[in-house]
Amino acid sequence: MIRATRVIRRDRLGSGEIVDRIVLDSNDRHRRRMAMRGVGGTAFLLDLGEATVLDDGDALALEDGRLIWVEAAPEALLEIRAPSPLALKRLIWHIGNRHIPAEIGEDAVWIAHDHVLAEMVRGLGGRAEPVTRPFRPEGGAYAGGPAQGHGHGLGHGHGHAHAHRHAHD
């Protein structure tokens, strides 16, 4: 099986033969090694040196030089807004205190759809509306920046779905 051994970031993507595209949700965009199949049927093995966050618009370089376009899949999210910047910061603090992956924007934050968290947000004076869009959560404190940046070593960030507890919970 042909291997994809390199990620070309969207801001460095020049000319190359894009032969297929792969549509991945936020969890599936954090990978190192995995068999994949593009929308057009191209089968390949993602075989990177380390786990990497793939972003919308990046490309995977196959060994023969062809490229597979990476597309972020739309996901069911909550768009959270608040009446003031301070109120939004408070909501972000409460979300972060629950170790919930979040994408933080200028005047909104997005999290995976969760009716319990939606009620919490509303109880704290915010708005939580369901939306469907690509999700680009922050990479975590040890990631070297947000997931849409290029510091992609996730360390012990919480940009992944699993259940665990910390001593301070």
Side-chain angles (χ1 to χ4, degrees), residues 3 10-11 78 107 115 151:
R3 298 179 319 140
R10 64 179 173 221
D11 60 345
L78 286 175
D107 57 359
H115 71 280

Side-chain angles (χ1 to χ4, degrees), residues 13 49 55 60 64 71 74 95 97 99 102-103 106 117 121 124 137 140 151:
L13 192 59
D55 202 7
L60 301 171
D64 63 6
E71 185 177 320
I95 291 165
N97 195 42
H99 297 279
E103 177 182 346
E106 183 82 20
L117 290 175
V121 166
L124 292 169

Side-chain angles (χ1 to χ4, degrees), residues 16-67:
E17 183 186 359
I18 295 176
V19 296
D20 208 339
R21 67 186 170 96
I22 191 145
V23 182
L24 304 168
D25 68 21
S26 59
N27 287 327
D28 285 339
R29 289 195 320 270
H30 179 224
R31 294 285 173 211
R32 185 191 84 72
R33 192 166 201 266
M34 179 180 174
M36 298 183 151
R37 182 175 300 276
V39 173
T42 305
F44 63 97
L45 176 66
L46 179 67
D47 193 11
L48 303 174
E50 61 186 30
T52 302
V53 175
L54 306 171
D55 202 7
D56 189 56
D58 289 345
L60 301 171
L62 300 177
E63 293 171 304
D64 63 6
R66 295 178 299 154
L67 302 176

